[in-house]
């Protein structure tokens, strides 16, 4: 690390150009700084002192070149947020930034590229909206048909950009591009944006027929958004508002009252979630509900980011962290002067993350030094003080008479794997016992939420996996167990799905109409991917270079990756018959843990019987054909397809004979 990089990495207020030795010294080492992980700190210094620079053109080139090669979504997002509104930089480099943003938006084949491409396409839109740059090249990127097949991280940002662009410029090509997302993984967001576009058109309709047509189209799109994602109070509110307007127009008092009530409930739900608005004499209880919900969202957001390798996060992520950190203030169930309460559970993990990662601590200090007006500065200073106290105190020593590192690790192996033997040795025995009990309870808590039949499935699978050494590793079991639960819930959901209420994406579960073909395995693969993508952290589809092949679905956890193989069958649906697919399933386990999953779409006719879900999911042990190699295991899920309605089923032959 060069002396300039050491200055950029130091604690406290960010250095000035004078601290770095002046502008000339900066330019002498510009190439080194551009390739440094701390390049964004150098760029922020240039932006802060732009008006005093002797060579603003060089500064603009430095920043633009750094953005050309960065692979950090957080750093790019934060810096672009500043650049699109920085008059000095834009005066020298708005055209270059626009060209760069559009070019980087073209590359979105991997998950990381897709996230970066989405950030850059939004930057290009923000440049075009106020007229800083021309919009024509941006149009070409927004209407690019390839966006519909890109990963969701990019496609979702394109969809939102299309909606915003249409509201500003009313170009029909943008509407057509939005419609192409109707059968993709982001169809819910696309439907909502289409509805907003049609509502914007309705507000400018020249006559009644045009207005009613726009309303009808918007209503259909809102319903599609709700069907795609149940948690859409925004779409529900707009849908109710449309129904109320249309009911008033026709004089339908009953429908108007129903729609108005739904609108009130939806707006209350949305307002409470966003602002905790007081609307009733029991508003204190409503506020508490909203506070708990908001806190849970912040905790989820914090959990998703604390273990990520990135050392810089967008400001809104830090705000989530601070809200979670000061949980006693987020949900106040006691007087203001009472003990911290929830914070004693939440704070240690957050403090550990920042204290152990210098990059996070530097980022937090920099944000505190120049915090926006709406920032929770009190919580930030509180967190900084706690981290400083911890760092000054140094590593804690083992308690007298307590277990040493080796003894603690031997007595509490699962905790040692999670926390490390050094931290374990510093804790008193009663705390170790409590932590061990809590660690053992997490799985019981996970399973206790399942219905009884689903608990039986889980327990039967665990009984088989007990012989799998990899599954007994604390990290693997902690993450793979929720995957089993999600697979159980997926099977339960798709088994119960009724033909009368399914959307086209679930047609693969039912017997095809005369003349139609049976579905391919891609249908269950895409459905399962979308289901898991909303419940797990890191999941991808059709991943190449996995044990010499291509994985149907890859699920990535901290420390390991597992693969889900998807198949379809029109015969041999018994457990023994399905073992023919396990060879390919376990082949993907050559490069990691010896544990995977097989999902089979059962397309045999079901005129008289749908299997109980307890018979449709199990675990299988596959012995190694070579004695000195490791055995492998797979969880098998058999999804019942080609179904008819229970009303159309005949009585099984065995029952008729009796």
């Amino acid at each position: 690390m060069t002396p300039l990089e050491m200055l950029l990495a130091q604690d406290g207020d960010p250095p000035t150009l004078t601290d770095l030795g002046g502008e000339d010294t900066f330019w002498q080492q510009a190439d080194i700084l551009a390739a440094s992980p701390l390049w964004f700190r150098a760029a922020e210094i240039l932006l802060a002192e732009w008006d005093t620079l002797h060579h603003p053109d060089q500064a603009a080139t430095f920043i633009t070149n750094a953005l050309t090669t960065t692979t950090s979504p957080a750093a790019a997002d934060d810096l672009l947020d500043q650049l699109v509104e920085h008059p000095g930089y834009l005066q020298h480099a708005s055209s270059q930034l626009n060209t760069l943003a559009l070019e980087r938006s073209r590359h979105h084949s991997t998950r990381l590229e897709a996230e970066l491409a989405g950030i850059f396409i939004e930057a290009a839109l923000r440049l075009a909206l106020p007229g800083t740059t021309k919009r024509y090249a941006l149009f070409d990127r927004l209407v690019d048909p390839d966006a519909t097949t890109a990963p969701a991280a990019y496609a979702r940002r394109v969809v939102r950009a299309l909606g915003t662009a249409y509201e500003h410029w009313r170009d029909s090509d943008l509407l057509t591009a939005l419609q192409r997302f109707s059968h993709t993984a982001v169809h819910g967001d696309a439907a909502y944006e289409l509805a907003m576009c049609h509502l914007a058109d309705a507000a400018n309709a020249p006559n009644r027929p045009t207005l009613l047509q726009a309303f009808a189209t918007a209503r259909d799109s809102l319903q599609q958004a709700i069907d795609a994602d149940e948690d859409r109070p925004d779409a529900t509110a707009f849908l109710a508002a449309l129904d109320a307007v249309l009911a008033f127009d026709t004089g339908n008092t009953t429908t108007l009252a129903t729609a108005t009530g739904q609108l009130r409930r939806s707006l209350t739900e949305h307002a409470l979630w966003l602002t905790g608005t007081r609307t009733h004499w029991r508003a204190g209880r409503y506020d508490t509900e909203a506070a708990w919900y908001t806190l849970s969202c912040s905790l989820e957001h914090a959990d998703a980011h604390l273990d990520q390798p990135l050392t810089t996060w967008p400001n809104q992520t830090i705000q989530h962290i601070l809200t979670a950190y000061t949980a006693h203030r987020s949900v106040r169930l006691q007087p203001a002067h009472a003990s911290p309460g929830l914070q004693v559970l939440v704070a240690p993990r957050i403090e550990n993350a920042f204290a152990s990662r210098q990059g996070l601590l530097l980022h937090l200090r920099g944000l505190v030094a120049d915090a926006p007006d709406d920032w929770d500065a009190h919580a930030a200073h509180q967190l900084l003080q706690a981290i400083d106290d911890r760092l000054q105190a140094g590593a804690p020593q083992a308690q007298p008479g307590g277990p040493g590192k080796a003894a603690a690790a031997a007595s509490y192996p699962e905790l040692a794997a999670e926390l490390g033997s050094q931290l374990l040795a510093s804790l008193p025995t009663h705390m170790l016992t409590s932590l061990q009990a809590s660690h053992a309870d997490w799985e019981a808590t996970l399973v206790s939420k399942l219905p009884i039949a689903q608990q039986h499935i889980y327990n039967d699978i665990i009984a088989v996996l007990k012989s799998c050494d990899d599954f007994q590793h604390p990290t693997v079991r902690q993450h793979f167990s929720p995957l089993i639960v999600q697979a159980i819930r997926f099977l339960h959901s798709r088994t119960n799905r009724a033909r009368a209420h399914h959307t086209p994406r679930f047609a693969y579960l039912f017997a095809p109409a005369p003349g139609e073909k049976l579905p391919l395995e891609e249908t269950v693969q895409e459905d399962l991917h979308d289901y898991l993508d909303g419940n797990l952290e890191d999941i991808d589809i059709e991943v190449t270079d996995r044990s010499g092949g291509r994985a149907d679905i890859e699920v990535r956890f901290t420390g390991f990756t597992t693969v889900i193989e998807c198949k379809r069958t029109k015969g041999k649906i018994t457990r023994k018959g399905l073992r023919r697919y396990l060879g390919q399933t376990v082949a993907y386990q050559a490069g990691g843990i010896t544990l995977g999953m097989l999902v089979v779409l059962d397309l045999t006719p079901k005129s008289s019987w749908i299997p109980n879900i307890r018979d449709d999911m199990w675990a299988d042990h596959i012995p190694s054909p070579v004695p000195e190699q490791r055995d492998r295991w797979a969880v098998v899920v058999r999804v019942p397809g080609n179904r008819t309605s229970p009303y159309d089923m005949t009585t099984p032959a065995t029952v008729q004979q009796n």
Side-chain angles (χ1 to χ4, degrees):
M1 183 176 287
T2 66
L4 259 64
E5 288 177 292
M6 294 178 65
L7 286 172
L8 292 173
Q10 70 183 1
D11 291 345
D13 295 332
T16 64
L17 277 177
T18 302
D19 296 331
L20 298 179
E23 188 175 344
D24 291 339
T25 301
F26 184 99
W27 297 128
Q28 289 170 8
Q29 300 196 40
D31 291 340
I32 296 175
L33 292 174
S36 169
L38 298 169
W39 68 267
F40 61 93
R41 296 270 287 178
E44 289 173 347
I45 292 172
L46 293 175
L47 292 177
E49 301 188 37
W50 193 275
D51 293 338
T52 66
L53 295 178
H54 298 295
H55 304 285
D57 287 334
Q58 284 185 247
T61 301
F62 173 88
I63 294 172
T64 306
N65 288 345
L67 284 170
T68 303
T69 58
T70 182
T71 57
S72 170
D77 199 15
D78 276 353
L79 191 60
L80 286 169
D81 187 58
Q82 299 177 56
L83 294 179
V84 295
E85 297 180 357
H86 194 285
Y89 172 82
L90 293 177
Q91 182 180 357
H92 289 82
S94 59
S95 178
Q96 293 90 327
L97 179 61
N98 185 56
T99 300
L100 168 63
L102 294 174
E103 178 57 28
R104 294 215 62 174
S105 72
R106 297 179 184 276
H107 308 288
H108 42 66
S109 57
T110 68
R111 189 181 184 90
L112 177 61
E113 284 182 344
E115 187 172 356
L116 283 163
I119 291 170
F120 278 99
I121 197 72
E122 285 187 351
L125 176 65
R126 292 179 64 183
L127 288 172
L129 287 177
T132 304
T133 58
K134 301 295 184 182
R135 62 176 185 259
Y136 305 108
L138 171 65
F139 265 43
D140 290 339
R141 296 297 309 126
L142 291 178
V143 302
D144 180 12
D146 289 344
T148 59
T149 60
Y154 177 70
R156 185 168 288 109
R157 290 185 186 253
V158 171
V159 162
R160 293 171 182 171
L162 282 167
T164 302
Y166 181 82
E167 289 181 14
H168 278 77
W169 297 316
R170 292 292 197 278
D171 190 297
S172 60
D173 288 344
L174 298 171
L175 206 61
T176 302
L178 258 179
Q179 293 166 345
R180 287 199 290 264
F181 288 86
S182 58
H183 298 292
T184 67
V186 297
H187 65 283
D189 288 312
Y192 181 78
E193 293 298 335
L194 278 170
M196 295 301 100
C197 293
H198 291 302
L199 283 178
D201 287 343
N204 297 283
N207 51 55
R208 176 185 172 88
T210 305
L211 184 145
L212 290 177
Q213 179 60 45
F215 267 14
T217 308
R219 194 186 187 288
D220 289 343
S221 296
L222 288 168
Q223 188 61 59
Q224 292 174 27
I226 295 169
D227 291 342
D229 184 359
E230 294 178 354
D231 190 19
R232 292 305 297 248
D234 48 359
T236 304
F238 277 111
L239 184 61
L242 284 177
D243 286 345
V245 172
L246 294 172
F248 181 85
D249 176 64
T250 59
N252 190 330
T253 304
T254 302
T255 302
L256 175 59
T258 301
T260 304
Q262 178 62 61
L263 176 59
R264 184 181 298 112
R265 288 191 297 273
S266 299
L267 289 177
T268 298
E269 178 185 356
H270 210 202
L272 284 173
W273 182 70
L274 293 173
T275 64
T277 303
R278 296 180 176 273
T279 58
H280 194 271
W281 65 273
R282 300 178 75 184
R285 177 167 293 182
Y286 292 157
D287 283 352
T288 301
E289 270 186 14
W292 277 108
Y293 185 78
T294 304
L295 174 61
S296 69
C297 291
S298 292
L299 290 172
E300 183 182 38
H301 197 110
D303 179 72
H305 286 80
L306 282 177
D307 296 327
Q308 288 185 1
L310 296 176
T311 57
T312 59
W313 296 327
N315 291 1
Q316 60 267 32
T317 297
I318 297 289
Q319 280 287 58
H320 278 290
I321 301 290
L322 297 177
T323 300
Y325 183 72
T326 55
H328 67 292
R329 295 193 299 116
S330 304
V331 181
R332 179 164 292 160
L333 303 180
Q334 67 272 341
H337 59 272
S339 60
L342 290 173
Q343 193 175 11
V344 301
L345 297 177
V346 176
R349 182 181 174 199
I350 296 174
E351 292 174 2
N352 286 339
F354 280 83
S356 63
R357 293 159 67 187
Q358 185 70 7
L360 285 185
L361 187 55
L362 284 171
H363 189 50
L364 179 60
R365 292 190 190 281
L367 289 173
V368 170
D370 190 22
D373 293 337
D374 60 347
W375 238 54
D376 192 345
H378 174 80
H381 284 291
Q382 185 178 340
L383 175 58
L384 277 177
Q385 184 60 52
I387 297 171
D388 287 340
D389 292 344
R390 177 176 298 212
L391 293 175
Q392 291 175 10
Q397 302 297 317
Q399 299 292 331
K405 293 180 184 179
S411 302
Y412 305 95
E414 293 184 350
L415 290 181
E418 292 288 331
L419 305 177
S421 57
Q422 181 174 355
L423 178 58
L424 236 60
S426 69
L427 300 177
T429 302
H430 73 276
M431 187 175 294
L432 288 172
T433 304
S434 176
L435 286 172
Q436 178 70 12
S438 299
H439 191 277
D441 286 344
W442 72 265
E443 191 167 4
T445 302
L446 176 71
V447 180
S448 66
K449 298 177 182 178
L450 297 175
I452 293 175
Q454 297 179 37
Q455 291 186 33
H456 285 311
I457 297 174
Y458 182 89
N459 292 333
D460 291 343
I461 290 173
I462 297 304
V464 175
L465 297 184
K466 282 183 178 179
S467 58
C468 176
D469 290 340
D470 284 340
F471 183 72
Q472 298 311 315
H473 188 284
T475 298
V476 175
R477 183 157 186 162
Q478 182 178 358
H479 292 296
F480 197 89
S481 295
L483 176 59
I484 297 174
V485 170
Q486 292 300 331
I488 294 173
R489 289 174 171 169
F490 174 82
L491 175 63
H492 175 265
S493 168
R494 298 321 185 243
T495 300
N496 282 337
R497 182 76 61 173
R499 178 188 286 273
H501 300 98
H502 79 268
T503 59
R505 65 176 298 183
F506 300 117
Y508 77 91
L509 295 170
F510 307 102
E516 292 183 352
K517 296 181 179 180
L518 289 169
L520 301 175
E521 64 193 41
E522 287 86 352
T523 54
V524 69
Q525 175 191 5
E526 292 172 359
D527 189 21
L528 177 61
H529 172 268
D530 290 349
Y531 184 92
L532 295 178
D533 194 38
N535 295 284
L536 299 172
E537 290 183 7
D538 197 355
I539 180 168
D540 211 344
I541 194 168
E542 296 290 343
V543 180
T544 58
D545 294 330
R546 291 298 178 268
S547 299
R550 181 179 63 184
D552 285 349
I553 297 176
E554 183 180 80
V555 187
R556 293 180 284 271
F557 300 108
T558 302
F560 73 99
T561 296
T562 193
V563 169
I564 303 176
E565 176 68 10
C566 297
K567 293 291 184 182
R568 72 162 188 165
T569 182
K570 294 182 283 187
K572 295 184 179 180
I573 61 169
T574 63
R575 295 193 180 192
K576 182 178 179 180
L578 294 182
R579 287 180 66 89
R580 66 188 187 277
Y581 297 125
L582 291 179
Q584 184 174 352
T585 301
V586 301
Y588 290 113
Q589 300 168 14
I593 63 169
T594 57
L595 179 60
M597 185 174 290
L598 168 67
V599 175
V600 179
L601 176 60
D602 171 15
L603 295 177
T604 56
K606 297 171 181 63
S607 59
S608 61
W609 196 264
I610 297 177
N612 184 275
I613 60 171
R614 290 189 61 183
D615 298 320
D616 268 338
M617 188 168 175
W618 62 90
D620 219 329
H621 173 206
I622 304 91
S624 169
V626 181
E628 63 267 23
Q629 294 184 8
R630 298 179 183 275
D631 293 351
R632 301 183 188 182
W633 285 259
V635 174
V636 182
V637 184
R638 184 174 58 197
V639 180
N642 200 9
R643 306 198 317 253
T644 59
S645 168
Y647 298 102
D648 299 327
M649 290 183 177
T650 60
T651 304
T654 54
V655 177
Q656 292 176 348
Q657 293 172 359
N658 293 334

